[in-house]
Amino acid sequence: MKRQLTLAEYRAVDLTLLAVILAVCEYGMTLAARRWFPNQLYTVSLTAALCAIVLMRWGAWAGLHAVLGGAVFWFASGGTPQQLAIYGIGNLGCLLVLPLLRGNGKEKICRDKLFTALFALAVLLAMQLGRAAVALLLGTPWQTCVGFFTTDALSGVFAMVVVSLAGRLDGVFEDQKRYLHRLQEQQKKEKGGFR
C-alpha cells in the first residue's frame, strides 16, 4: 500500500514548490527589467500575487514567501542593505490581510470574482504599506515612501489578474485543508458508486 503524505509533509512540499516558482520568476523578471527597461519608473513583481495565493492556501505561512520575494528582488537588483530590510521585512505587511480570511472570509473571497481581485490588490497595498513603514523607520523621507505605491502600480494589476486566473483553477486559490477534505469526500463517493 502506498504511503500518503501527512498534512505537514504536503504543506512543506507545496510551500517549497511555490517558493521555487516565486524565486525563479522574481529573479528573472527583475533581471529582465534591469537589462531591457533600466530607465522605467514602473516595476512588475510576482511576490504579491504569490503571497495572496499562499495566504489563501496556508495563511500566515505566506510570510516566508513575502520575505523571500523581497530578498530575491534585492539580490537581483543589486540593492543596498537598507533596501533588503525595506523589501524583505516590509513585504510582511501582507500579513495585515489575515483578518479578512477569518470565519467565512476565505469562502467569500474565493466565490466572488470581484472579492478575489480586490483581495489580491489588498495584499499588494498591505505590502506597500509595510515597505513604506520600514523605510520611514530607517529615515527615508515620506515623499520617497509614496513611490512604493506609485512605481509598483503595475504589480497590482498583475496580482489581480494572476490571482483571478488562479481562482478559476480547481484547488489553486483555495484553503488547502478544505480542498483536501473535498477531494477525500469525492473519492469516497466515487468508490461508493462502484459497489
Side-chain angles (χ1 to χ4, degrees):
M1 185 173 190
K2 191 175 178 181
R3 185 180 87 82
Q4 291 185 349
L5 292 175
T6 65
L7 180 62
E9 291 169 334
Y10 173 76
R11 182 178 54 228
V13 169
D14 190 57
L15 291 171
T16 301
L17 288 173
L18 292 169
V20 169
I21 291 167
L22 172 63
V24 170
C25 291
E26 191 71 18
Y27 186 75
M29 290 168 70
T30 304
L31 284 182
R34 281 185 70 196
R35 174 174 283 178
W36 295 317
F37 309 105
N39 298 322
Q40 291 298 314
L41 296 175
Y42 299 100
T43 61
V44 177
S45 172
L46 181 66
T47 302
L50 204 100
C51 285
I53 292 169
V54 177
L55 279 160
M56 182 57 69
R57 291 169 76 93
W58 300 110
W61 287 96
L64 298 172
H65 295 78
V67 172
L68 175 66
V72 170
F73 174 77
W74 165 80
F75 179 76
S77 63
T80 65
Q82 184 176 4
Q83 287 172 318
L84 175 60
I86 290 169
Y87 285 93
I89 298 169
N91 280 357
L92 288 171
C94 72
L95 299 178
L96 293 172
V97 303
L98 280 171
L100 298 175
L101 302 175
R102 291 196 181 124
N104 290 333
K106 284 187 176 186
E107 287 181 41
K108 289 178 183 176
I109 292 168
C110 288
R111 272 193 244 136
D112 189 296
K113 293 175 186 174
L114 178 61
F115 286 167
T116 299
L118 291 176
F119 177 75
L121 183 61
V123 169
L124 177 81
L125 292 174
M127 282 182 154
Q128 304 302 13
L129 185 63
R131 291 175 189 170
V134 172
L136 283 171
L137 288 173
L138 294 175
T140 305
W142 70 267
Q143 296 90 338
T144 305
C145 295
V146 171
F148 290 114
F149 295 92
T150 57
T151 59
D152 220 15
L154 288 177
S155 293
V157 174
F158 187 64
M160 291 169 69
V161 170
V162 169
V163 174
S164 293
L165 290 173
R168 294 174 182 245
L169 302 172
D170 187 39
V172 176
F173 188 66
E174 183 177 351
D175 179 275
Q176 290 302 283
K177 289 179 186 176
R178 186 170 291 139
Y179 172 68
L180 293 172
H181 180 70
R182 187 167 53 82
L183 283 181
Q184 193 174 38
E185 291 299 315
Q186 287 175 352
Q187 288 175 350
K188 284 180 185 177
K189 287 178 184 176
E190 288 173 8
K191 285 181 183 177
F194 291 114
R195 291 184 182 177

